[in-house]
Amino acid sequence: MDGAYKMEDRTSLVKGAQDIAKEVKRQTVKKVNKTVDKAQDGYTQRSYNRFQGEEDAEYYTEGGNYDGEANEDEGSSEATEGHDEDDEIYEGEYQGIPNTEQNKDGVAALGHPNRDDYKDRNELETERKADEEELAQQYELIIQECGHGRFQWALFFVLGMALMADGVEVFVVGFVLPSAETDICIPNSGSGWLGSIVYLGMMVGAFFWGGLADKVGRRQSLLICMSVNGFFAFLSSFVQGYGFFLFCRLLSGFGIGGAVPVVFSYFSEVLAREKRGEHLSWLCMFWMIGGIYASAMAWAIIPHYGWSFSMGSAYQFHSWRVFVVMCALPCVSAVVALTFMPESPRFLLEVGKHDEAWMILKQIHDTNMRARGQPEKVFTVNRIKTPKQIDELIEIENDTGTWYKRCYVRVRTELNGIWLTFMRCFNYPVKDNTTKLATVWFTLSFGYYGLSVWFPDVIKHLQAEEYATRRKTFEFERVTDINFNFTLENQVYSNGIFINDRFTMMKFKSVTFEDTLFKNCYFEDVTTLSTYFRNCTFMDTKFFNTDLEPYKYSGSRFINCTFEHNKTGCQISFDDDYSAYWIYFVNFLGTLAVLPGNIVSALLMDRIGRLTMLGGSMILSGISCFFLWFGTSESMMIGMLCLYNGLTISAWNSLDVITVELYPTDRRATGFGFLNALCKAAAVLGNLIFGSLVVITKAIPILLASTVLVCGGLVGLRLPDTRTQVLM
C-alpha cells in the first residue's frame, strides 16, 4: 500500500513540474513575441523614413547594426540566451529567423500570434500584399547597402552571353536559309517554314520559361532553357534530312525563347533603383553584339565552300554547318558561367526562403566591399521581411503510384501554376498595364522584324532585277560538235538545237533551256545552279556524274538516254557569287548601326525617363521607316535601314526596362514572357505580310510599318512612369 501511495505522489510531482514548465514557456514566448514585434515595427518605420529621404540619426548604431527599440535588458537576455560568455556574437552575424511552426501546445510562433487556419483566402492575400509592399521598400535599402560593384558586373557579363545567344538565334536562320535550301534541297514551298519555325519555338518558349522562372527560380529556369538551346542548335548542324533539321531548330528556338524574359527579370532584381535603367540598357547591347557576331561569322565562314567534308554521297558537312556550330558557342559559354552564379535573392524572399536569400545578399555585399578595398565592413541586416506564404492544394500521387504517373501529375501541376500566374497578369491593378504593354510590344515587333529580318529579300530582289537586265537570250540557235568546258551564266536558250555536243567539267549558273533539242550529246561532271530544262527533248544522250535532278527537267522527254553516277543532294557554290557577301555585309552594317542608339539610351534612360524615350523613339522610327518608300537604290535603302535600326533600339531598351518595373516579383517573368511571346507572333505575322508584298510593291509594307510604329508610340506614352519607383 505504501508503495502505491509513493508512486502516486511521484506521478503528481512530475505532472506538476510539467505544468509549471509549460506556463513558464508560455510566458517566455509572449515576452519574446512582444520584443520581436516591437523591434520589427521600429525597423520598418525607420526603413520608410530613410527611403523617403528623412534624416534619422538613430537608424544605425555606432557599430553599424540596426538599432532596435527593445530595452537593453530584454535584448541582452534574449539575444544571448543559450550562449556562454566565451560564445561571442560578432557584429552583423546572422542569428537565423524564429521558427514559424506551431509548438506542441498550440502556441503561435514568433511574429505569428494568430493562426492562419481561421482566416479566409482574401484576408491572407491582403496580408501578403501588405508584406510585399513592406518588402519592396526594405529590399531597396538592402540593395543600396550592398552597393553596385564586382558582383553586378560579373552577373552582367554572364547574362549578357545569354542575351547574345538570343541575338544570334534571330539572325542565324536568315543567314543559313539560302545555303540550307540548296544543301538539303528544300523546295520553294517549304523554305518559309525554316524561318517561321524558329519564331514559333521562341514564342512558346518565352511563355513557358518565363512562367517557370516565377515557379522554380530565375537561375534554374535560365540554365535549363539555355541548355536546351545549345544542345539542339549543335545537333542541327549535323542532321541531313530537312524534317529533322526543322525539328532541331524548333526545339532550339523553344530553348532560347526564355532568355530575354528571364535575363531581364534576373538582373533587375540585383540593381538599385538609381542604377536599374542605365544598366539594363547596357545589358541590351549584348543583343546587338550577338547580331554582329552572327554577321561576322556568316561573312567569314559560309561563302568558303572549301570548309567542308563528306562521307560518301550520303553525308555532307558544308561550311554553313560550321557556321551553325560557331553560333552555338555563346549559349554554351552562358550555361557554363551560370553554374557559378546564385539565385535571385528577391525571388527567394518572395517564396519565403529567408535564410538562402540572406546568404546571397551577404555574398553580394561582401564581394562588392572586398572589391572596394573595405573587407572589414560587415553586412548589418539581420532580418528581412518575407511575404506570407499561402498554401495551395495540389493533387499528388502517393508512393504506390508509378513513376510516369507522378511525373505526369508534377508536370500538370507546374503547367497549371504557370497558367494561374499568367491569369493574374490580367487582375487589378496590373490589367491596364498589361493591355497597353501588349499593344506596344506587338506594334514595335511587327514593324521592326517585318522590315529587318526579311530585309535581305529586298536586297536580293533589287539585285535580281539588275541581274536580269544583263541576261542574254538566244533563239533558234543551232550548235553542233562543240566541247563546252567553261561556265555558262545568265543565259536563256529558246527553240535551239544541240547536236553532237559535249558538256564536260563545266557549270551552268542561272541558265534556262526552253523547247530545245539535245541529240547525241554527252554531259559529264556538270554542276548546275538555278538551271532548268523546260519542255526539252533529249535523244541518244548520256549523263555521267551530273547533279541534274528530275525537278530540273519539267515537261521534258528522254529517248534512248542513260544516267550513270548521278550526284545526290544539292550543290552549293559561291564561286564568283558576291551576293552572299553583300547580304552579310548589309546585316553587319544594320546591326552595327544600333550602337549609337544603345549608348544614348543607356545614358539618358534615367535622365529623360522611360516613357519619353519609348514614345519618341517609336514615332521617329515610324517617320524614318516611311522614307524608305522613296529608296530607289541599294545604297539609299541600306542607309535608311541603318537610321531606322539606330532609332528603334532606344524603344526596345526602354520597353524592356518598363516591363520589368511594372510587374511585381511573383509575376515579373511570366508577364515578360507573355509579352515576348506576343512579340514573336507579331514578327512571324510581319514576315509573312512583308515577304508576300516585297516582290509586288514596297510601298504598302513600308507605309504599314510606319503607321503601326507611330500608333504604338502614342500608346506607350500612356504607360505609368516607373523612374522613381522601387521594384514592386
Side-chain angles (χ1 to χ4, degrees), residues 609-649:
R610 290 89 157 108
L611 299 185
T612 303
M613 182 167 294
L614 173 63
S617 177
M618 290 187 68
I619 293 174
L620 291 176
S621 299
I623 296 174
S624 68
C625 171
F626 177 77
F627 283 104
L628 287 171
W629 188 3
F630 304 101
T632 56
S633 64
E634 293 182 27
S635 58
M636 184 180 294
M637 293 288 288
I638 293 170
M640 294 304 298
L641 174 70
C642 293
L643 177 63
Y644 169 70
N645 286 351
L647 292 172
T648 309
I649 194 63

Side-chain angles (χ1 to χ4, degrees), residues 177-199:
L177 187 57
S179 303
E181 286 178 350
T182 308
D183 187 22
I184 314 179
C185 299
I186 302 175
N188 293 332
S189 60
S191 60
W193 278 102
L194 186 55
S196 301
I197 201 73
V198 175
Y199 281 95

